[in-house]
Amino acid sequence: MTGPAHAQPVDNPFPSTYQPAAPEDTLFLDATILDGAGNRHERASLLIRDGRVAAIGSAIDAPGGVRVIDADGRWITPGIVDPHSHLGSGSMPYTPVELSAWDVNEIGDPAVPHLYVETTIRTQDPGFAAALSGGVTSLQVLPGSANLFGGYSVVLKNVPARTPQAMKFPKAPPGMKMACGENPKYNYSELGRSPKSRMGIVAGYQEMFDDAMEYRDKLARFRHGQGDEPSHDPKLAAVAAALDGEVRIHFHCYRADDMAIVLDVARHYGLQITAFHHASEAYKIPDLLVKNDVCSVVFANWWGFKMEVFDAIRENAAMLEAYGACVTLHSDSAITGQRLNLEAAKAMAAGQHAGLDITREVAIQWITFNPARILGLEDRIGSLEPGKNADVVLWSDDPFSTYARADLVYIDGALAYDRSDAAMQPVSDFILGQPARETRP
Amino acid sequence: MSTAGRIKNATILVQDARIVAIGADIDVPAGIQVINANGNIVTPGLIASATYLGLVEVGSSLDTDDRSASSEGLGASFDVRYGLNFNSVLIPIARADGLTHAVVMPSGSSQTPFAGIGALINAGTGNDLLEEPGIAMFAGIDGPSSSKPGQSRSAEWIVLRRALSEARALQDRGSGSEPDPEVPLRRADLEALGPVLDGSMPLVIRTQRESDVRQAVELSVDFGIRVILYQADEAWRVAELLAKHKVPVILDPMANLPRRFDNIGARLEAAAILHRAGVPLALHSWEFQMSHNAGQELRQAAGIGIANGLPWEAALESLTAGAARIWGIEDHIGKLETGMIADLVIWSGDPFEMTTRPLTVMVDGYAVPLETRQTRLRDRYMPLIRGTN
């Protein structure tokens, strides 16, 4: 969806400084491997070398100097990708400052597409290490849903770091948060200002897109020697870049009717929406979602915490999958984000119970390949295929079991977490030296 | 599967809502309805020890939220029993996930730290959820927070102690006497504490920090009352003390994050540590999910506890007979034994796996329907998915 003239390249002012840790070339033997590409390999081996997947199959020889791990009885999956997290933006412990002025939303202006959520990230949030112990290797942190245009998201590698930049996934395509429905409505009604209704919200999108189109046209005319250069407007520039297809739109939306209206607005402006997040009524409109090539990022079982999620059902993900629509799961929570594998188990089981043929090799894609795809990173992460980043989880058991634990987690071929070695379990600065964490003698 | 152990190839005979026989060799009377469990696991119905079932429909819709009486001037005398909605769409969902009983708590009253009186509900299909009113008195020692600035936990303990002292003094003086005007509690609220003082009603204290857990033990000793700790993330740090004083803990085995300074010590091994020390244990799931997905999330919480060292049988007990003992209902609920109420679940597999579902749920001897508003929605839209609409 490329416009006639690009308003501006998306030039992130906080570039990634991520450096992979030293990779540990490793051969895993005799595992059950769910490769994230839709396959299940029994009694299979996986070789990772130089930070990448080197081979997957049944008879792989161990090259010299490679660590060999007997994974008999254990399972291997790609590193889990959480496409919707708020870790780091409002870090634990949630003190009154976090609760009354959470960094995740810039409340007061419903259109703040130019904000960067990486400017809120506290790398010492203990939630990162907890997510890592659940196999999460990459995550997208998004601004909240108080605003129509909430700002840029950021994709992080789940590694201990001193700065947000050092966690940033290099060259990840930019993403932007938008929101519809109850949250913006509620927030601005509280403030006594527009938009207080769904009508006001939709008009708010249209107004912003109209202004961004005009801005883009002025800029294009100026570049062709016609008219004055428009003064730089960071908000309009951000939205114009989105209209040019340079920014992936992550749209917080629950209800089928809300999503259908948003799709019409998007079509009018030639905007491709990458994914509806939460999308609890996506199962009611799979046809529209497929037609518009929009993925749904959904919960396994959350429902009823507000009115627009009252019709959520546990079969949502499985029904979308069965229809042929793109679907991923997400956490939206530091608690759920530690066990997305069990979210996949719940969503898979609900589908199977309803008679839908959802296998583990498909369901694992809901938390690996599919989220990688909506982040535009499916060429690098999300599946275990030769040449891709060696983001790997070795599970003690079937990852769809409540009893499964991540034994080892690798990011870019480097060991990031080892359940049997406390020295290989990141500890946030906040936790360090807290007597309440220490075992009494 | 009973807490006395596992019985293989067992038959359970249910008559008039009670289990009349259980064992490997049971004579089945003629003409009785037979449900074949096909070798699947059968357990007692699960008991959730902390929920708001029947009190809330939509979390953010305050018009559906009967959890708190903070605006009505009621303190310890607030009682959830009159507000239970047996038509709540949450109940069938809880039931279809294997829950047959739940403790329903008040969330707050106008008299901090008291929240009020909870109830035990029965998730059957009758038109009254209420199984047993007055199951416990609830209080919360939370310390200061953004919603309660300046609310020192010391003040909360002082008010709690004064209230108990004055309630006892009022009892001692006789029913015709007047409360001490110095104590800022109404007569009805003081009288509501009577059953706590005479030991017929436990006092559930929601608190997390180790120092408050210790204070709760001291309170139970000083007043000779039964205290139950709820949400006590740091209780594992004083497991021996709790075991010595037989103070039960209702715990979320998934709680491992330092969400506040009060639960920096939260850890996944807490359930296992408390069990190993001999602390009576029941479980709850995280507050966001404890009502809307009451059964499924409780099963997951137990599974996480097992994954972190809690023995499987102990996890089952904490959701059945162990919980029943804590709530004083063990004489008729929580076990598959002759004479007990027939509350049971036939599972498609291990009840603590998320891939497992109940095949049959029996409450009070009736196999209840497993249909929910959610399965109705699913079935309405399934033809669209299958292309058969």
Side-chain angles (χ1 to χ4, degrees), chain A residues 21-41:
Chain A
E24 192 170 336
D25 294 350
T26 305
L27 177 65
F28 305 87
L29 294 176
D30 281 338
T32 302
I33 302 177
L34 301 174
D35 67 8
N39 307 304
R40 172 177 175 147
H41 310 255

Side-chain angles (χ1 to χ4, degrees), chain A residues 54 67 97 221 263 286 332 361 368 372 400 421 423 441:
Chain A
R67 181 185 178 192
V97 170
R221 281 200 298 276
L263 287 171
D332 201 13
E361 45 271 38
T368 56
F400 292 82
D421 181 1

Side-chain angles (χ1 to χ4, degrees), chain B residues 117-156:
Chain B
I117 299 166
L120 179 77
I121 64 162
N122 167 319
T125 49
N127 62 3
D128 190 359
L129 287 176
L130 188 63
E131 168 124 356
E132 193 163 322
I135 196 80
M137 175 67 65
F138 286 81
I141 304 289
D142 304 316
S145 67
S146 51
S147 58
K148 295 187 296 178
Q151 179 67 67
S152 165
R153 72 194 65 236
S154 281
E156 292 176 321

Side-chain angles (χ1 to χ4, degrees), chain A residues 92-96 99-100 126-127 130 133 182 283-287 300-308 310-315 318-320 322-323 333-336 338-339 342-343 345-346 348-356 360 397 400-405 419 430-431 434-440, chain B residues 57-61 89-90 93 97 145-146 210 214 234 236-238 252-254 256-261 263-269 286 288-289 291-294 296-297 299-304 306-309 312 350-358 373-375 377-379 381-382 384-387:
Chain A
M92 284 178 277
Y94 303 131
T95 64
L99 295 172
S100 61
S133 73
E182 264 181 58
Y283 69 95
K284 299 182 182 180
I285 51 164
D287 45 350
N301 69 355
W302 290 23
W303 76 281
F305 49 95
K306 56 180 170 173
M307 201 55 222
E308 64 187 359
F310 195 61
D311 286 4
I313 62 173
R314 294 176 186 174
E315 296 82 1
M319 287 168 78
L320 290 164
Y323 190 85
S333 145
I335 295 171
T336 309
Q338 298 175 48
R339 38 191 76 90
L342 298 184
E343 298 300 288
K346 290 176 213 170
M348 176 185 75
Q352 290 173 346
H353 181 206
L356 301 173
R360 279 166 170 70
D397 203 334
F400 292 82
S401 167
T402 322
Y403 310 136
R405 308 282 301 274
R419 184 159 72 92
F430 175 74
I431 295 299
Q434 293 280 1
R437 300 287 285 202
E438 276 151 28
T439 310
R440 269 178 221 294
Chain B
E57 204 71 2
V58 176
S60 72
S61 263
V89 299
L90 282 71
I93 293 171
D97 283 326
S145 67
S146 51
E210 180 184 349
R214 291 177 180 274
E234 294 190 352
W236 64 269
R237 300 185 55 76
V238 287
D252 173 7
M254 287 173 28
N256 66 334
L257 295 171
R259 296 182 305 279
R260 298 178 61 205
F261 273 85
N263 49 24
I264 288 171
R267 61 185 292 194
L268 293 171
E269 298 82 3
W286 54 310
F288 183 73
Q289 291 266 41
S291 306
H292 285 83
N293 286 307
Q296 189 176 42
E297 291 291 314
R299 294 198 283 121
Q300 173 173 314
I304 297 294
I306 296 166
N308 290 279
W312 193 97
D350 180 335
F352 305 121
E353 292 284 17
M354 295 297 94
T355 45
T356 294
R357 69 182 195 279
R373 182 172 176 275
Q374 293 182 331
T375 63
L377 278 165
R378 175 195 72 195
D379 295 345
Y381 287 91
M382 194 60 92
L384 174 67
I385 298 297
R386 294 190 184 281

Side-chain angles (χ1 to χ4, degrees), chain A residues 62-113:
Chain A
V66 165
R67 181 185 178 192
V68 177
I69 293 175
D70 178 7
D72 187 16
R74 294 193 276 178
W75 293 55
I76 289 174
T77 69
I80 291 172
V81 182
D82 186 351
H84 191 119
S85 171
H86 297 292
L87 288 180
S89 55
S91 176
M92 284 178 277
Y94 303 131
T95 64
V97 170
E98 274 72 34
L99 295 172
S100 61
W102 210 24
D103 277 328
V104 86
N105 284 304
E106 178 60 25
I107 291 176
D109 182 349
V112 286

